[in-house]
Amino acid sequence: MRNKYIKKYESFLVTKQFEGMVAGSNVDKKALIRIRRCFTQIITHFPFFADILFRLKIIEATEADGVSTMATDGKIIAYNANFVNS
């Protein structure tokens, strides 16, 4: 079961679908790479959450949007690039 999710995630990274999940074209690439590393750790150690993570859309938000760290509503993951990079 674990290998199934790892293989799915490896193809996910190779095809660059991760960037396609992010809303907006002016995203902070450094923050996105850090989030991708977190996804890798979660999927590797907790494969149950892999399916859930693949269903979420990732958006970059600012403090003006009300996101000073990270947030989720079960449909999206909103992240503040300043928080992720610090």
Side-chain angles (χ1 to χ4, degrees):
M1 182 89 157
R2 181 176 176 182
N3 290 335
K4 175 181 130 183
Y5 288 116
I6 291 173
K7 287 179 184 176
K8 182 178 178 182
Y9 188 66
E10 286 171 352
S11 66
F12 180 68
L13 292 176
V14 171
T15 59
K16 306 240 181 206
Q17 290 176 342
F18 196 87
E19 283 85 359
M21 291 173 60
V22 179
S25 59
N26 297 330
V27 296
D28 184 340
K29 297 293 184 188
K30 185 177 175 184
L32 196 58
I33 289 169
R34 286 177 180 240
I35 292 172
R36 181 184 293 173
R37 286 182 188 153
C38 291
F39 268 50
T40 303
Q41 291 296 316
I42 292 168
I43 290 166
T44 303
H45 297 291
F46 307 101
F48 170 79
F49 295 106
D51 192 46
I52 297 168
L53 286 175
F54 285 124
R55 295 173 193 258
L56 298 174
K57 186 171 186 169
I58 302 167
I59 63 168
E60 186 173 335
T62 62
E63 288 190 31
D65 299 323
V67 179
S68 59
T69 56
M70 296 183 82
T72 185
D73 64 357
K75 295 178 185 173
I76 63 162
I77 294 176
Y79 69 94
N80 186 319
N82 295 330
F83 171 75
V84 173
N85 289 326
S86 64

